[in-house]
Amino acid sequence: MDFTVYPIERVKAAFARALELNPEREAAACAAAQALGITPEAVREVVETVASNPA
């Protein structure tokens, strides 16, 4: 089983770029996921985890 590990910063950056194009969070998560080749759920998990733990 092959998989790729993306740094959290890369996922956050892709989500931020997608939010600039479409301010709807769900659409941005889907766009970021498509750009990275991961699931929207993975993007949402990163974004929600970072938002709840800003340290």
Side-chain angles (χ1 to χ4, degrees):
M1 180 168 154
D2 290 336
F3 62 92
T4 303
V5 176
Y6 289 104
I8 290 173
E9 289 76 23
R10 186 167 178 188
V11 176
K12 289 185 334 186
F15 182 71
R17 285 191 304 274
L19 273 178
E20 290 175 4
L21 298 172
N22 186 343
E24 183 183 327
R25 293 179 68 80
E26 183 61 29
C30 289
Q34 184 176 15
L36 295 171
I38 60 177
T39 65
E41 291 80 15
V43 173
R44 284 193 298 271
E45 182 176 335
V46 167
V47 172
E48 291 169 4
T49 301
V50 170
S52 64
N53 299 320

